Amino acid sequence: SAVISQKPSRDICQRGTSLTIQCQVDSQVTMMFWYRQQPGQSLTLIATANQGSEATYESGFVIDKFPISRPNLTFSTLTVSNMSPEDSSIYLCSVLGLAGAGDTQYFGPGTRLTVL
Amino acid sequence: LAKTTQPISMDSYEGQEVNITCSHNNIATNDYITWYQQFPSQGPRFIIQGYKTKVTNEVASLFIPADRKSSTLSLPRVSLSDTAVYYCLVGALSGNTPLVFGKGTRLSVIA
């Protein structure tokens, strides 16, 4: 399985500011994804980070609010722009890898964001 | 994507075997079944994956009946450290479609 690291692990930010979260993988991966997990809730997919092209966003998430970069096969960033307290969540990076019968996803440790 | 249904929560005593069943009536031919474990403030951790019959690893067993419309995650002799949320997901073998998480089952292990 891939080893995934995220920076920062946590942050407290003021409303109206932006935060960029980094995701680094120890091997090249084809697919990278960003999820959000609000307090007490399950994971919600934000977008698929495509290498060399624009990210593919899920319904309810837009590029202006959550710009994503993927400059190579081992790295991606997610920016949470113009933050409000409703953006307080854990943000998780995920990559596709091999496991058992077929492909599956592996997750980073998450970035806990609190917006005041 | 196949929708999954699993119990919201379960309680168990230490040392008991825990079985969590997941329903996925609309599973497609090329879907496989994967279970994840998530502790508070951590990312989900892959536990086990299967396509049919039974799969066993050092952590758990996964039982899948012939019709594949359900699956059961079996945790042998749970300990307090197995208290977590367990997610059942189904997805295509090609893996190009990201996993969609349901609500999961919150397992509480009691001493």
Side-chain angles (χ1 to χ4, degrees):
Chain A
S1 63
V3 177
I4 307 166
S5 60
Q6 288 185 231
K7 289 181 181 179
S9 58
R10 59 176 60 219
D11 207 342
I12 301 173
C13 301
Q14 298 295 321
R15 71 169 64 217
T17 63
S18 298
L19 176 72
T20 295
I21 302 167
Q22 298 179 5
C23 176
Q24 180 74 54
V25 191
D26 69 340
S27 58
Q28 293 186 340
V29 293
T30 54
M31 308 291 287
M32 294 180 77
F33 312 100
W34 286 97
Y35 287 79
R36 178 175 76 180
Q37 187 170 30
Q38 295 178 301
Q41 303 297 313
S42 184
L43 284 77
T44 300
L45 179 67
I46 297 173
T48 300
N50 301 307
Q51 197 267 325
S53 65
E54 211 168 83
T56 304
Y57 290 84
E58 297 299 304
S59 176
F61 297 96
V62 295
I63 187 171
D64 290 346
K65 175 67 176 177
F66 297 101
I68 288 171
S69 78
R70 179 140 186 231
N72 57 52
L73 294 176
T74 63
F75 185 79
S76 177
T77 66
L78 168 75
T79 299
V80 186
S81 303
N82 188 24
M83 288 184 285
S84 68
E86 292 70 37
D87 295 319
S88 296
S89 290
I90 296 174
Y91 291 85
L92 295 138
C93 170
S94 176
V95 305
L96 195 63
L98 285 174
D103 295 339
T104 194
Q105 288 178 229
Y106 296 95
F107 289 82
T111 296
R112 179 181 290 274
L113 170 62
T114 301
V115 184
L116 303 177
Chain B
L1 293 171
K3 181 182 162 82
T4 60
T5 303
Q6 50 185 125
I8 298 288
S9 64
M10 294 180 71
D11 294 332
S12 176
Y13 287 101
E14 271 192 299
Q16 289 188 328
E17 177 184 77
V18 171
N19 296 308
I20 306 175
T21 296
C22 178
S23 298
H24 27 80
N25 291 318
N26 297 322
I27 189 168
T29 302
N30 60 345
D31 283 344
Y32 58 91
I33 300 151
T34 310
W35 285 79
Y36 286 84
Q37 175 191 56
Q38 187 179 28
F39 298 114
S41 300
Q42 294 186 24
R45 171 181 158 240
F46 170 86
I47 301 176
I48 197 166
Q49 181 185 86
Y51 185 77
K52 60 181 179 180
T53 64
K54 177 184 174 182
V55 179
T56 298
N57 62 22
E58 64 278 5
V59 176
S61 295
L62 178 59
F63 298 92
I64 306 168
D67 66 5
R68 302 202 326 123
K69 293 184 183 297
S70 67
S71 59
T72 299
L73 174 73
S74 181
L75 304 172
R77 295 185 299 279
V78 294
S79 65
L80 295 175
S81 62
D82 292 316
T83 294
V85 178
Y86 293 82
Y87 295 97
C88 161
L89 299 100
V90 295
L93 285 168
S94 66
N96 287 329
T97 304
L99 293 172
V100 176
F101 281 73
K103 296 186 186 301
T105 297
R106 184 174 299 275
L107 172 66
S108 298
V109 180
I110 308 161

